[in-house]
Amino acid sequence: MNTPEPVLVVVDAANVVGSVPDGWWRDRKGAAERLRDRLASEGIAGVPGPVEIVLVVEGAARDVGSVPGVRVSPARGSGDDHIVEVVASAGDRRVLVITADRELRGRVGELGADVAGPRTARP
């Protein structure tokens, strides 16, 4: 019996963290770590079945480490460009990108990814 490959969920950490004005700008790394930990414990709302979560971080959050359930992928340059690279390398897998960035949504949509807004990862 073939087990389907988990949905690849790529989270734009900067965009999701920045979607709520809760003081995240005072501690960008801590805000990304809190998002990572919430994703690890709660998963992704509305996405049934097995998922593989990739949290793309950049800038001051680049040193955030992975934890069981969430692989952190630091962007060397642009976070958006890195997200597009992750999606492009996914092959035929189902991919969901979580971001509100309109340009990024268009770029990953052209590659066949589904998109959802930040509330999917941050209720």
Side-chain angles (χ1 to χ4, degrees):
M1 177 179 200
N2 262 348
T3 304
E5 209 165 359
V7 175
L8 177 62
V9 179
V10 183
V11 180
D12 181 352
N15 189 269
V16 172
V17 165
S19 69
V20 177
D22 61 1
W24 58 265
W25 51 89
R26 291 189 289 268
D27 181 11
R28 293 170 192 257
K29 181 180 179 188
E33 288 171 335
R34 288 187 295 279
L35 174 59
R36 175 204 61 197
D37 295 347
R38 183 170 42 257
L39 292 169
S41 67
E42 298 175 14
I44 303 295
V47 181
V51 297
E52 176 187 351
I53 301 173
V54 176
L55 181 67
V56 174
V57 295
E58 59 187 299
R62 193 173 289 125
D63 295 332
V64 171
S66 297
V67 297
V70 178
R71 177 171 53 96
V72 176
S73 185
R76 289 190 180 104
S78 159
D80 290 1
D81 290 346
H82 188 71
I83 290 168
V84 170
E85 290 171 10
V86 171
V87 172
S89 69
D92 292 336
R93 286 178 76 175
R94 178 172 173 232
V95 179
L96 172 65
V97 176
I98 299 176
T99 186
D101 183 305
R102 286 184 183 161
E103 181 182 336
L104 178 59
R105 291 169 75 102
R107 290 173 69 190
V108 298
E110 289 175 3
L111 296 172
D114 295 320
V115 293
R119 287 188 180 163
T120 306
R122 187 175 187 159

